[in-house]
């Protein structure tokens, strides 16, 4: 499961019944604040608004997110989606649990940590450092 940055230090965890049965990881959303009533808030991309985390389908709870403690350069790594589409890895975000997540640019050119939406396969640099 990709590690995602979160301003609150918490993530909301969602898993479908099928994901639970197959022991697959679900998806995470960053908790970006708290309501006046104390509910964890996440952004619902479909509504374009902040909503209580528990109001979205398949919510199973909150987890404290590991902090990002280091960033290493991408140095030629790539995410290959298909024969025509690939993305350079700008760097690797290393969290306090020791997990590394690739950093890419989004369509607007801003850096973001991969959350599993892009699909594809991470490939190491080519021998000799060229692609």
């Amino acid at each position: 499961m990709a590690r995602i940055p979160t301003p609150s230090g918490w993530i909301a965890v969602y898993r479908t019944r099928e994901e639970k049965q197959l022991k697959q990881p679900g998806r995470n959303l960053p908790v970006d604040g708290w309501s006046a009533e104390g509910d964890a808030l996440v952004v619902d991309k479909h509504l374009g608004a902040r909503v209580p985390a528990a109001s979205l389908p398949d919510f199973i709870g909150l987890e404290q997110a590991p902090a990002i403690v280091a960033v290493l350069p991408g140095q030629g790594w790539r995410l290959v989606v298909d024969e025509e589409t690939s993305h350079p890895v700008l760097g690797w975000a290393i969290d306090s649990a020791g997990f590394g997540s690739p950093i890419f640019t989004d369509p607007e050119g801003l850096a973001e940590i991969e959350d599993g939406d892009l699909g594809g396969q991470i490939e190491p640099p080519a021998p000799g450092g060229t692609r």
Side-chain angles (χ1 to χ4, degrees):
M1 189 175 302
R3 302 295 182 208
I4 55 176
T6 172
S8 69
W10 290 86
I11 54 175
V13 180
Y14 301 86
R15 284 175 68 194
T16 64
R17 182 173 301 196
E18 182 179 331
E19 288 169 335
K20 289 177 190 175
Q21 290 172 345
L22 297 173
K23 298 182 180 173
Q24 295 176 334
R27 63 187 171 91
N28 296 337
L29 290 175
V31 172
D32 72 345
W34 307 92
S35 71
E37 295 78 28
D39 295 320
L41 299 174
V42 298
V43 174
D44 181 329
K45 292 179 183 179
H46 300 291
L47 291 177
R50 293 167 81 195
V51 299
S55 71
L56 296 178
D58 306 315
F59 175 75
I60 62 169
L62 300 176
E63 290 181 4
Q64 196 163 15
I68 295 174
V69 296
V71 177
L72 303 174
Q75 296 185 321
W77 287 80
R78 299 187 72 71
L79 172 72
V80 177
V81 179
D82 56 40
E83 289 182 18
E84 299 172 8
T85 308
S86 70
H87 306 278
V89 175
L90 301 177
W92 296 91
I94 309 301
D95 68 27
S96 57
F99 291 98
S101 297
I103 303 170
F104 298 97
T105 56
D106 66 13
E108 289 81 37
L110 301 173
E112 67 178 35
I113 297 174
E114 164 61 12
D115 62 4
D117 288 343
L118 291 175
Q121 179 175 332
I122 298 286
E123 290 188 357
T130 60
R131 273 225 189 265

